[in-house]
Amino acid sequence: AQTVTQSQPEMSVQEAETVTLSCTYDTSESDYYLFWYKQPPSRQMILVIRQEAYKQQNATENRFSVNFQKAAKSFSLKISDSQLGDAAMYFCAYRSAMTNSKLTFGKGITLSVRP
Amino acid sequence: DTGVSQNPRHKITKRGQNVTFRCDPISEHNRLYWYRQTLGQGPEFLTYFQNEAQLEKSRLLSDRFSAERPKGSFSTLEIQRTEQGDSAMYLCASSPRDATPLHFGNGTRLTVT
């Protein structure tokens, strides 16, 4: 079974600074997808960024980028120019490329942004 | 795209009562998922539908839990004889096909007293 580990329960960043959230995962599969989801206090889970394991290039979405290290099974999220609205829980998630696969989440990290 | 809709938003019930939650996925999304999330934790998978077929159930889904998706559109999650340990946020998500990101609803917050 696949597992996703987020070992940092909380992080804090100064507004306009850069922060990196860590995630590791364990799998025996070679083809899969990795995601970062954001859950603001309103509770709705929102997709931040997605990475296909077969792609070597790291995904980027505006201020959000990932550092995907397949051999190390590491998938960190970098948030640049942090904004107050970035404060939320962030979840790393894994999904197999096999048919009918589900999303497996880490425990999440609470990010606070200091003005 | 009106998003995934879940009702009710909040439910308070006494231990031993039955409760039912509803999820309306994004139209044309044939995959529907139920997750449970306790405070400060990541969502845990409960069950998954492709159209009306329930293809996978987690060990977390005890005999007191049942989920249906009778016409392949909306889904219901019923918990019978609720226990205090059932208190959690119940999240529904949908996706149009494999390997695509899940779209989540706002969840139903269940409190069992």
Side-chain angles (χ1 to χ4, degrees):
Chain A
Q2 295 82 21
T3 58
V4 178
T5 302
Q6 295 179 254
S7 56
Q8 308 155 302
E10 297 178 352
M11 285 199 75
S12 180
V13 64
Q14 190 77 35
E15 194 176 5
E17 297 295 310
T18 296
V19 64
T20 298
L21 310 182
S22 301
C23 172
T24 59
Y25 58 95
D26 189 23
T27 184
S28 58
E29 298 176 333
S30 59
D31 198 11
Y32 49 86
Y33 303 87
L34 297 166
F35 306 86
W36 278 97
Y37 278 86
K38 170 185 178 182
Q39 190 177 42
S42 65
R43 297 284 183 177
Q44 186 171 30
M45 199 84 70
I46 303 166
L47 177 68
V48 175
I49 199 163
R50 167 189 177 180
Q51 175 79 43
E52 291 88 348
Y54 62 84
K55 289 187 178 179
Q56 292 188 334
Q57 187 173 7
N58 289 323
T60 61
E61 285 288 342
N62 301 315
R63 298 183 296 108
F64 299 89
S65 61
V66 299
N67 184 4
F68 173 48
Q69 301 291 328
K70 190 172 184 179
K73 296 179 182 175
S74 170
F75 183 61
S76 61
L77 175 69
K78 186 171 80 171
I79 306 175
S80 304
D81 185 26
S82 297
Q83 301 175 0
L84 295 178
D86 294 334
M89 277 202 80
Y90 286 82
F91 294 96
C92 179
Y94 171 101
R95 189 175 189 181
S96 168
M98 291 176 60
T99 303
N100 295 328
S101 62
K102 60 183 181 289
L103 205 57
T104 300
F105 287 87
K107 289 188 174 182
I109 178 170
T110 300
L111 177 67
S112 58
V113 181
R114 304 185 303 274
Chain B
D1 182 353
T2 57
V4 178
S5 176
Q6 290 189 249
N7 288 287
R9 289 293 303 274
H10 303 275
K11 179 70 177 179
I12 300 174
T13 191
K14 292 186 177 181
R15 188 174 51 190
Q17 297 295 305
N18 299 343
V19 294
T20 300
F21 312 141
R22 176 177 171 127
C23 171
D24 288 88
I26 294 171
S27 59
E28 299 170 0
H29 281 197
N30 59 17
R31 286 154 168 81
L32 187 147
Y33 305 78
W34 284 99
Y35 282 80
R36 181 173 70 187
Q37 185 179 21
T38 53
L39 197 61
Q41 299 296 314
E44 296 173 296
F45 171 78
L46 292 178
T47 191
Y48 158 64
F49 290 86
Q50 183 174 334
N51 298 312
E52 66 275 10
Q54 189 173 20
L55 297 186
E56 187 175 352
K57 291 173 60 174
S58 163
R59 291 172 298 157
L60 294 174
L61 218 62
S62 74
D63 291 344
R64 297 184 297 105
F65 288 70
S66 63
E68 295 182 342
R69 195 183 183 196
K71 296 183 179 180
S73 56
F74 73 91
S75 175
T76 57
L77 178 67
E78 180 183 16
I79 308 174
Q80 296 181 327
R81 305 181 302 282
T82 51
E83 302 173 356
Q84 286 188 322
D86 297 332
S87 296
M89 176 74 79
Y90 289 84
L91 297 172
C92 178
S94 69
S95 69
R97 55 190 175 277
D98 280 330
T100 53
L102 271 58
H103 298 256
F104 284 85
N106 283 316
T108 294
R109 165 71 67 189
L110 173 66
T111 302
V112 182
T113 61

